[in-house]
Amino acid sequence: GSRYLLEFNARYDGSSKFQAANRWDLFWGVSAGWRINQEKFLQGAKWLSNLKLRASYAEMGSQSGIDNYDGYQFYNLHTLGGAYVGSDRLTYIATNGKFASLTRQWERIKNYNLALDFGFLGNALTGTVETFMKRNDNMLVAMTYPAVLGDDAPTANTGRFKDWGFEGSVNYNGRIGLVNYHVGGNVTFARNELVDYGGTNVIKSGYTATQQGYPLNSIFGMRYGGKIQNEAMLKAYLAKYYPNNGVGMPSNLRVGDNMFCDENGDGVLDYRDYVYLGSDSPEISYSFNFGIEWKGFDVDVVFQGAGNRFVYRGMDSWTVPFRSLYTNTTASSIGRVWSQDNPDAYYAPYTSDDNIVKYNYQASSLTAQDARYIRLKTLTVGYNLPGSLLRKIGLITAARLYFTGEDLWESTKISDGWDPEAKRNAAGVQRYPFTRNFTFGLNLSF
């Protein structure tokens, strides 16, 4: 093949969500490749099967997050009792609640990519290392206008977002005697930041999808300071922080309940003490696999995991013991509730007092759980019946017995007993308990 590769593409997109002047825009991309192993100085390297450097840049358009007719000002004529002003009679004009945008245009998302593909030993060992970056410097976000204007501000191209990282994969196929085997894996590191979201947003406790200056899906809350261990600690903590607190601290706080840190040292526990507790989007994702084949038998194993992810479930009844008297809760708290013999327990003493529950299980460095995990995702064991046996049967040309298990084992730091892969806001049928799946099968070919 060719040593040098070059490709260019472009598209012209239009959308009725924008005014006529900004409705159409051109988006393009270019990619280049260099087959380094085909250069003369490497043609004699028998150990090298493939070495290719590739780079690309592409711009894509997006119109997400805006309504179909945000570019038009709508009016609605209302009449109450008649079409004039008088006693119990009024005619007025209402808008759709927000100003129209005449200047809004396509988001232009810029994608950068640089990668190296390699293969050694007759492509027995193959892999890729890659780095990437995505930028959106005219992100469509909601603006804020003075309230005296009456309607909400339109969405405008005032936001900026970036996403960057790297990924790599490697695979090896080999043979020892009658045994064929393969081993491989991949890892991805990705980080993002909402650089500008149209202004400085007030930090709130809990999960926040979009917070300027932080990653998407960020969590904010108090820094956990341990459990109240005795009456003296309780009295001192209440005396210092109960007056004028802004974290929902009740007056009937108990021994065994949580303490939180005065992060800024002003003697008051409130929103000024909120700290960044992590993001619900994992920065690290990985998997690795291996398998063997020998005399008709085959075994394949896949491990999978994630890291640098944090989950805050909120205060739903399915994660907090006795959050609501009329609903069930998980059994994960059994044996893990504070007592004199268990002073470092995750859970505070049981209570149905709503104020105490909300205080203890608000977003904090305790309840924003470290969601890293590693899991035996799949295990498959199979056996292909020998052809000599099948020929005697006559009708069957191929037969394979197999067993597959899914999610057979995991190691996780999740403290609430829930599946580490579960959505943080699982609802309805998504709240079914975690399951392990086993499949036995027979494949026949005639």
Side-chain angles (χ1 to χ4, degrees):
S2 303
R3 284 180 295 170
Y4 309 108
L5 307 169
L6 182 65
E7 181 178 326
F8 180 84
N9 60 76
R11 55 184 294 163
Y12 200 55
D13 291 334
S15 172
S16 61
K17 291 185 177 182
F18 303 110
Q19 291 289 305
N22 299 320
R23 183 161 298 161
W24 293 91
D25 211 338
L26 177 68
F27 303 98
W28 60 278
V30 61
S31 60
W34 177 25
R35 300 184 193 271
I36 305 174
N37 62 298
Q38 293 186 5
E39 294 290 348
K40 291 182 179 180
F41 60 86
L42 285 175
Q43 287 182 354
K46 296 182 179 179
W47 50 271
L48 182 62
S49 308
N50 179 40
L51 190 63
K52 178 182 178 182
L53 180 67
R54 49 188 172 86
S56 66
Y57 172 80
E59 295 185 356
M60 301 174 57
S62 175
Q63 53 179 322
S64 61
I66 58 176
D67 295 336
N68 290 331
Y69 302 104
D70 279 358
Y72 300 91
Q73 189 70 59
F74 289 98
Y75 299 96
N76 190 5
L77 184 67
H78 291 260
T79 61
L80 298 176
Y84 59 89
V85 177
S87 177
D88 297 326
R89 300 169 187 268
L90 176 66
T91 296
Y92 68 96
I93 297 175
T95 71
N96 62 335
K98 55 186 171 183
F99 291 103
S101 172
L102 303 180
T103 60
R104 183 177 52 209
Q105 55 189 291
W106 286 87
E107 291 182 344
R108 185 171 290 272
I109 302 172
K110 303 172 182 178
N111 297 276
Y112 306 82
N113 186 276
L114 179 66
L116 181 69
D117 302 322
F118 59 85
F120 302 105
L121 307 175
N123 277 331
L125 176 64
T126 60
T128 297
V129 290
E130 186 169 355
T131 183
F132 59 87
M133 182 173 65
K134 178 188 295 185
R135 299 188 65 95
N136 185 350
D137 293 327
N138 66 336
M139 186 177 181
L140 288 163
V141 299
M143 298 180 63
T144 301
Y145 280 0
V148 70
L149 294 177
D151 282 347
D152 293 335
T155 304
N157 298 95
T158 58
R160 290 188 296 138
F161 173 80
K162 65 177 180 179
D163 179 20
W164 69 98
F166 64 85
E167 57 186 339
S169 65
V170 63
N171 292 280
Y172 183 77
N173 292 278
R175 181 182 180 90
I176 302 176
L178 298 177
V179 178
N180 293 314
Y181 65 93
H182 65 84
V183 60
N186 63 76
V187 61
T188 299
F189 172 85
R191 181 172 289 176
N192 66 80
E193 180 185 353
L194 188 57
V195 180
D196 190 343
Y197 201 59
T200 302
N201 298 330
V202 176
I203 293 179
K204 299 179 180 179
S205 175
Y207 166 83
T208 304
T210 51
Q211 184 71 42
Q212 180 170 298
Y214 292 90
L216 299 178
N217 308 319
S218 290
I219 308 167
F220 300 90
M222 301 297 294
R223 191 179 302 280
Y224 174 62
K227 294 286 192 294
I228 300 172
Q229 300 296 337
N230 51 56
E231 289 292 339
M233 290 179 64
L234 174 62
K235 290 180 181 179
Y237 184 67
L238 283 173
K240 185 173 184 179
Y241 294 118
Y242 175 71
N244 301 319
N245 83 86
V247 294
M249 185 189 301
S251 60
N252 59 335
L253 208 63
R254 311 158 302 163
V255 172
D257 287 330
N258 293 345
M259 294 185 295
F260 299 113
C261 297
D262 180 12
E263 198 70 13
N264 66 351
D266 64 357
V268 179
L269 294 180
D270 59 12
Y271 70 92
R272 297 178 183 87
D273 299 305
Y274 290 159
V275 295
Y276 172 65
L277 300 171
S279 171
D280 190 35
S281 300
E283 285 191 345
I284 301 172
S285 302
Y286 62 89
S287 70
F288 56 92
N289 63 86
F290 63 87
I292 59 172
E293 297 177 0
W294 175 73
K295 293 186 176 181
F297 290 96
D298 61 87
V299 178
D300 278 285
V301 179
V302 177
F303 286 88
Q304 176 255 333
N308 210 7
R309 176 197 178 210
F310 293 83
V311 170
Y312 174 59
R313 309 286 192 193
M315 287 179 283
D316 285 348
S317 58
W318 57 281
T319 58
V320 177
F322 300 102
R323 174 69 179 86
S324 301
L325 292 175
Y326 49 84
T327 58
N328 292 324
T329 187
T330 66
S332 59
S333 65
I334 297 176
R336 304 175 59 218
V337 176
W338 181 91
S339 68
Q340 295 289 349
D341 298 326
N342 193 11
D344 299 320
Y346 177 83
Y347 292 94
Y350 292 139
T351 180
S352 59
D353 187 311
D354 192 56
N355 291 326
I356 294 178
V357 170
K358 287 180 177 179
Y359 166 81
N360 279 327
Y361 296 101
Q362 64 183 289
S364 71
S365 55
L366 175 72
T367 55
Q369 304 172 80
D370 186 342
R372 77 181 78 173
Y373 70 91
I374 183 172
R375 156 170 291 165
L376 176 54
K377 193 64 181 177
T378 60
L379 167 65
T380 301
V381 180
Y383 177 64
N384 293 285
L385 274 65
S388 57
L389 176 61
L390 296 177
R391 284 191 291 271
K392 293 179 180 180
I393 299 175
L395 295 175
I396 303 174
T397 58
R400 182 173 184 269
L401 294 164
Y402 68 92
F403 159 78
T404 298
E406 298 180 0
D407 299 323
L408 299 181
W409 169 87
E410 68 277 331
S411 176
T412 177
K413 290 185 175 293
I414 288 288
S415 300
D416 58 17
W418 213 253
D419 180 3
E421 287 185 278
K423 294 181 179 179
R424 74 184 184 327
N425 56 348
V429 297
Q430 295 174 337
R431 292 185 182 177
Y432 278 116
F434 171 70
T435 60
R436 306 188 193 278
N437 301 311
F438 306 90
T439 303
F440 296 88
L442 172 64
N443 293 335
L444 299 174
S445 298
F446 299 92

